[in-house]
Amino acid sequence: MHHPLSLVKNVISVSSGKGGVGKSTIAFHLAHTLIDDHSLRVGLLDADIHGPSLPTLMGLMEKPQIVENKIVPLLKDGLKAMSMGFLVDPQSALIWRGLMVQKAIKQLLFDVEWGNLDVLVIDMPPGTGDIPLTINQLVPLSGGIVVSTSDPLSLVDGVKGVAMLKKMGIPFWGFIENMAHLVCPQCETHISLSHDSLVEKEAVRVGDAFLGSIPFDQGLRFGGAMMASSKDAFKDIVRKVIPLLKQG
Ligand SMILES: Nc1ncnc2c1ncn2[C@@H]1O[C@H](COP(=O)(O)OP(=O)(O)OP(=O)(O)O)[C@@H](O)[C@H]1O
Ligand SMILES: [Mg+2]
């Protein structure tokens, strides 16, 4: 029997260390930019067992179908998506720990019919705990992207996230700074929300590891229409990621 993920060319992670900095939002838009700009076949796996975000982010509530003992990912606008939130009542997963969590992660990776994919994007839960470790033991990751805002509290955890990738032997592809600035709706002036571009400074310090900045944009939320400058920012970031992907 072939390895369940053998038809997936690249598994990449979007993580942060700190919660609530925009991993899920960014993972979702990166996935769509890979599809829209580069015609890649992309899957998005919400690895947050305890607090799944994808159902809300994608406006999807339906239950996936089971075909020949495999879970069929939900398909929306060309993106194959899977989340614990599609499979169980989120209240029940809330109290899982240890082996239950590992079993759930295994199921999301191996019991889902991902099929042929160029990229499977894994939206990690916050922190440097059990779930990223479990995933890394189960499937080799091509690379990891770390999201942070430019405030010291977020960056301290972001740096830990980078250390964790390195410890696990996963290539660190770079930082994305989120909620970096506001664009004035009247005059389009950029109003900085970031603390001295801390993320970019850290990225430069650890090497050429800055992928780009995403503005504060309510259009990135479910049902929104993103600003042109956000769209451009995702395009630029994805242009840097493309050469890092395995083709074969
Ligand atoms: N660039 C942005 N502009 C405006 N709102 C944003 C932006 N990025 C994220 N948000 C909002 O911030 C909140 C947190 O985002 P998100 O859920 O993507 O973060 P997360 O890092 O995945 O959180 P968790 O650690 O809980 O998984 C959400 O309400 C989201 O809509
Ligand atoms: Mg999230």
Side-chain angles (χ1 to χ4, degrees):
M1 210 188 80
H2 68 257
H3 187 277
L5 287 174
S6 61
L7 302 175
V8 176
K9 291 182 188 164
N10 296 272
V11 183
I12 71 175
S13 73
V14 177
S15 61
S16 72
K18 194 154 198 70
V21 294
K23 295 173 289 300
S24 301
T25 306
I26 285 181
F28 172 74
H29 289 290
L30 286 178
H32 268 300
T33 309
L34 287 162
I35 295 171
D36 295 346
D37 285 16
H38 301 273
S39 307
L40 297 185
R41 295 160 301 179
V42 183
L44 179 57
L45 169 57
D46 178 359
D48 198 334
I49 303 295
H50 300 104
S53 294
L54 260 196
T56 312
L57 194 56
M58 294 183 73
L60 282 174
M61 295 299 159
E62 57 206 86
K63 287 265 175 277
Q65 295 192 318
I66 312 282
V67 176
E68 288 171 14
N69 271 326
K70 290 277 183 192
I71 306 165
V72 183
L74 298 183
L75 185 67
K76 187 173 178 186
D77 301 327
L79 178 64
K80 283 182 183 172
M82 187 45 61
S83 167
M84 217 49 196
F86 300 146
L87 300 175
V88 303
D89 169 12
Q91 294 297 326
S92 72
L94 216 56
I95 54 164
W96 292 359
R97 63 196 182 95
L99 283 173
M100 298 272 291
V101 171
Q102 284 177 26
K103 218 178 126 195
I105 288 291
K106 253 191 190 150
Q107 201 177 20
L108 291 175
L109 283 169
F110 300 148
D111 294 346
V112 172
E113 191 55 63
W114 289 108
N116 277 295
L117 289 182
D118 296 300
V119 188
L120 176 61
V121 181
I122 302 191
D123 170 21
M124 289 288 184
T128 48
D130 226 19
I131 289 178
L133 279 172
T134 303
I135 290 174
N136 188 53
Q137 278 164 7
L138 294 171
V139 28
L141 272 72
S142 300
I145 292 169
V146 174
V147 178
S148 180
T149 56
S150 262
D151 70 276
L153 280 181
S154 167
L155 190 57
V156 162
D157 287 355
V159 169
K160 277 192 221 155
V162 176
M164 180 173 201
L165 289 176
K166 294 206 166 139
K167 218 168 194 160
M168 296 191 299
I170 300 167
F172 169 52
W173 283 356
F175 282 107
I176 295 177
E177 179 190 25
N178 192 21
M179 301 189 248
H181 58 267
L182 280 169
V183 182
C184 169
Q186 273 85 40
C187 64
E188 296 194 359
T189 304
H190 286 197
I191 304 158
S192 177
L193 293 171
S194 66
H195 212 275
D196 233 5
S197 295
L198 285 183
V199 177
E200 187 164 3
K201 281 186 187 153
E202 176 63 17
V204 170
R205 197 185 67 77
V206 298
D208 182 19
F210 190 62
L211 291 171
S213 296
I214 303 295
F216 185 91
D217 179 0
Q218 303 218 41
L220 299 181
R221 297 172 183 174
F222 171 65
M226 73 171 114
M227 301 185 299
S229 64
S230 307
K231 201 166 208 147
D232 289 343
F234 281 110
K235 283 175 185 286
D236 288 346
I237 290 169
V238 164
R239 233 176 271 128
K240 292 181 189 161
V241 168
I242 290 286
L244 302 170
L245 296 172
K246 279 181 256 166
Q247 303 300 322

